[in-house]
Amino acid sequence: MALGNRHLLGLEGVSAEDITVLLDTAESLVEVSRREVKKLPALRGKTVINFFVENSTRTRTSFEIAAKRLSADAISISSSSSSMAKGETFEDTARNLAAMSPDCIVVRHPASGAARFLAGVVDCSIINAGDGSHEHPTQALLDLLTIRQRKKCAWKDLVVTIVGDIVHSRVARSNLFGLRTLGATVRLAGPPTLLPEEFREFGAELYYDIGSAVQDADVIMMLRIQHERMASNYFPTLNEYARYFCLNAEKVARAKPDVIILHPGPINRGIEISSEVADGPYSVIMSQVANGVALRMALLYQLIIPGADGIRGSALVEPAVTAAPGRARIE
Amino acid sequence: MAVEVLDSDGIRRALTRIAHEIVERNDGVKGLALVGIHTCGVPLARRIAEAIARIEGTEPPVGAIDITLYRDDAGRLGATAHMEPSDIPFDLQERKVVLVDDVLYTGRTIRAALDALIDFGRPAAVQLAVLIDRGHRELPIRADYVGKNVPTSRSQKVRVELGEHGERDAVWIEEAANGTR
């Protein structure tokens, strides 16, 4: 490739222009899912490996479908079914996969920084499908696409409230970077133990009370309470968390009348979001999932086919490295 | 240096003549549909459909397809940021479809368009209408309806400007350093 390998490791440092190109490309691919023949020949003869060292239904299936709809050969492997179960290291497994000459490896890993590490080890494009509590850029991009489809105003006029376990959430971090780059106002809300002060440095407004955080919001993004990433107790009980932070109809009523509610899934019903709200008229959760396929098709196309006037490789090759707040607390 | 080969009256007359030829060849508008190829083919297809409506009193349905991801030279030309959604708002089954594009050159766009179209269903027949045929085919493809044959050299560039894109209707031939349109 003329531009060298191009990666999407995170949204930090990715320009508004590149984000917009990806959203525009995805927008034109949304209709493919409604066709009788859901297949385009663009990536014929290309190989995409989904390397998932952490469990996932949505993201892995979405990447697999996206690759197949573009005619790429896609295979998925998980750590439990790979030689990592026999004690092979992540790096050795990755080198072996790379030796089979894939064009792209999509990686999910419980350790923050795993995608960047992989990009330095192997010689193909890397897409970060979630690394620990660092970033989950494709989730944020599909959220941005879903917001843009429903909200016709400029990004700078949008107020987006993200509620929940901010410190452990790679989804919150990627959305924060993307939304701030595009110019939206971002409010973060959660109990103080899950919402470190350092997030102010990224241009977010912090709220410890969900009611005032959702007041007049255009978009509410609920995060999953991640039991598996909680090494110690951040709040007394799940019940107490739910009493203060569960998004119910009463709280939704304080937002703008045309508010939309996003959730990256999987949902803990009755903990961070009530069933009434999750299945209600403001919820766009299923659109997020549908948009995920189009967005990932757009990304695979833009990364694997060297760009003439597509996204500029540079920003995605080496985004600026800064330590995200909160990482030290969990490692 | 740019030479104007069609002005707005010329484009209007060419599209009107194509509309008449389509109606004549297909015995009216029954079962007929037009599909424009993004970007310039789409407004041209709409104009031809309007001209057919003036002749026959019925306007055939118009669809649009984007062929970016069907091109055989995607790897050579590179990824593009400019894609449009395809939209075929009718059943292709048993339809006679007229594909519409602005310039017919190597034929590779049309080959890709045929692939794209067939992914939406199986039309009864496919015909091709182009505003300009500039020659230099690389595939066995020819147009059924041609607005104007314009002999060119490969180093030249054919530029189509349309009112729908905020320009005055015109077709220009330019000398270009690289010979792609």
Side-chain angles (χ1 to χ4, degrees):
Chain A
M1 269 184 217
L3 288 165
N5 291 313
R6 307 191 311 155
H7 313 299
L8 180 64
L9 307 177
L11 284 193
E12 187 176 13
V14 176
S15 69
E17 187 190 346
D18 280 348
I19 292 175
T20 305
V21 166
L22 286 170
L23 299 186
D24 288 348
T25 307
E27 193 65 69
S28 62
L29 293 172
V30 168
E31 56 83 18
V32 175
S33 299
R34 296 194 290 264
R35 292 189 191 183
E36 192 175 310
V37 178
K38 298 176 187 61
K39 215 168 182 72
L40 297 159
L43 295 184
R44 207 169 46 165
K46 307 288 184 187
T47 307
V48 177
I49 297 180
N50 291 318
F51 183 23
F52 277 60
V53 187
E54 189 184 85
N55 293 339
S56 162
T57 333
R58 243 168 310 273
T59 308
R60 200 177 84 174
T61 313
S62 183
F63 265 111
E64 204 165 320
I65 290 177
K68 287 180 173 169
R69 290 211 173 139
L70 289 176
S71 305
D73 296 306
I75 61 156
S76 292
I77 49 169
S78 55
S79 55
S80 58
S81 63
S82 75
S83 287
M84 285 179 76
K86 299 179 192 165
E88 189 175 50
T89 65
F90 175 61
E91 181 175 354
D92 285 336
T93 305
R95 280 187 198 280
N96 279 279
L97 293 177
M100 299 178 213
S101 309
D103 297 278
C104 180
I105 295 178
V106 179
V107 64
R108 167 167 291 192
H109 197 284
S112 301
R116 173 172 298 280
F117 171 79
L118 201 58
V121 171
V122 302
D123 184 30
C124 67
S125 287
I126 300 296
I127 295 175
N128 181 3
D131 59 334
S133 47
H134 174 226
E135 281 221 45
H136 190 354
T138 59
Q139 177 68 44
L141 287 166
L142 71 88
D143 291 341
L144 295 173
L145 180 62
T146 308
I147 295 169
R148 201 178 71 163
Q149 285 170 347
R150 311 271 171 157
K151 300 288 169 190
K152 297 303 167 199
C153 60
W155 287 104
K156 65 173 177 48
D157 298 326
L158 281 179
V159 175
V160 181
T161 302
I162 307 177
V163 185
D165 182 1
I166 306 291
V167 70
H168 295 102
S169 176
R170 53 196 180 204
V171 176
R173 219 173 298 261
S174 289
N175 265 299
L176 174 60
F177 293 134
L179 286 163
R180 291 299 299 146
T181 299
L182 294 170
T185 300
V186 180
R187 298 178 184 167
L188 302 176
T193 45
L194 296 174
L195 181 52
E197 279 287 322
E198 289 92 321
F199 274 92
R200 287 191 206 278
E201 291 166 25
F202 293 89
E205 300 169 5
L206 307 193
Y207 290 78
Y208 303 108
D209 163 44
I210 185 172
S212 40
V214 302
Q215 187 74 43
D216 298 321
D218 298 283
V219 178
I220 303 173
M221 195 179 285
M222 298 307 295
L223 302 171
R224 187 173 66 91
I225 288 297
Q226 304 187 57
H227 315 286
E228 75 274 18
R229 260 184 263 283
M230 294 211 182
S232 58
N233 292 326
Y234 290 86
F235 44 79
T237 64
L238 277 178
N239 269 340
E240 184 169 337
Y241 178 86
R243 194 170 336 128
Y244 288 102
F245 287 97
C246 181
L247 187 69
N248 54 27
E250 182 196 334
K251 288 174 187 135
V252 172
R254 296 184 66 170
K256 291 243 181 85
D258 63 344
V259 67
I260 56 170
I261 295 160
L262 289 80
H263 191 301
I267 299 177
N268 294 314
R269 287 175 186 269
I271 297 177
E272 71 261 359
I273 189 165
S274 72
S275 281
E276 182 190 13
V277 171
D279 307 326
Y282 304 109
S283 165
V284 294
I285 296 173
M286 289 304 126
S287 304
Q288 289 174 271
V289 178
N291 282 333
V293 174
L295 188 279
R296 290 175 176 117
M297 285 170 72
L299 179 63
L300 288 169
Y301 167 72
Q302 293 286 2
L303 283 188
I304 294 175
I305 304 292
D309 58 348
I311 48 173
R312 291 171 301 113
S314 53
L316 299 181
V317 175
E318 275 304 317
V321 187
T322 53
R327 274 175 69 180
R329 291 161 190 252
I330 54 147
E331 279 167 1
Chain B
M1 201 189 72
V3 178
E4 194 180 58
V5 292
L6 271 183
D7 59 9
S8 60
D9 282 338
I11 291 175
R12 182 176 48 76
R13 287 187 201 113
L15 295 179
T16 307
R17 180 172 49 73
I18 288 174
H20 277 284
E21 289 175 5
I22 290 173
V23 170
E24 187 180 3
R25 161 102 64 111
N26 296 289
D27 295 325
V29 282
K30 193 166 175 292
L32 195 68
L34 304 182
V35 173
I37 300 172
H38 278 299
T39 309
C40 279
V42 178
L44 291 175
R46 291 212 184 90
R47 290 190 197 186
I48 293 172
E50 284 160 14
I52 291 174
R54 284 194 291 274
I55 300 163
E56 288 290 293
T58 317
E59 189 167 323
V62 178
I65 47 172
D66 186 288
I67 54 98
T68 310
L69 298 184
Y70 287 88
R71 294 198 66 101
D72 57 9
D73 48 7
R76 213 161 50 84
L77 292 179
T80 174
H82 311 291
M83 257 188 258
E84 299 283 339
S86 296
D87 178 27
I88 307 286
F90 43 82
D91 189 2
L92 281 179
Q93 217 70 23
E94 305 310 318
R95 286 260 185 199
K96 284 177 282 186
V97 174
V98 182
L99 273 176
V100 182
D101 203 4
D102 53 349
V103 180
L104 179 56
Y105 183 27
T106 61
R108 288 179 194 271
T109 299
I110 304 304
R111 187 211 60 80
L114 288 168
D115 276 358
L117 191 66
I118 282 157
D119 279 355
F120 286 91
R122 183 184 181 280
V126 183
Q127 300 162 6
L128 175 62
V130 296
L131 183 59
I132 301 290
D133 183 348
R134 62 169 293 189
H136 304 289
R137 218 75 76 237
E138 293 168 3
L139 295 170
I141 281 170
R142 65 167 179 77
D144 300 273
Y145 315 99
V146 179
K148 190 178 172 75
N149 282 294
V150 180
T152 57
S153 74
R154 281 176 186 276
S155 68
Q156 288 170 324
K157 195 171 153 55
V158 176
R159 194 173 80 228
V160 176
E161 296 176 343
L162 295 175
E164 286 88 339
H165 301 141
E167 294 157 318
R168 182 178 68 88
D169 279 4
V171 178
W172 301 83
I173 294 186
E174 310 175 311
E175 294 298 336
N178 54 1
T180 54
R181 71 167 170 95

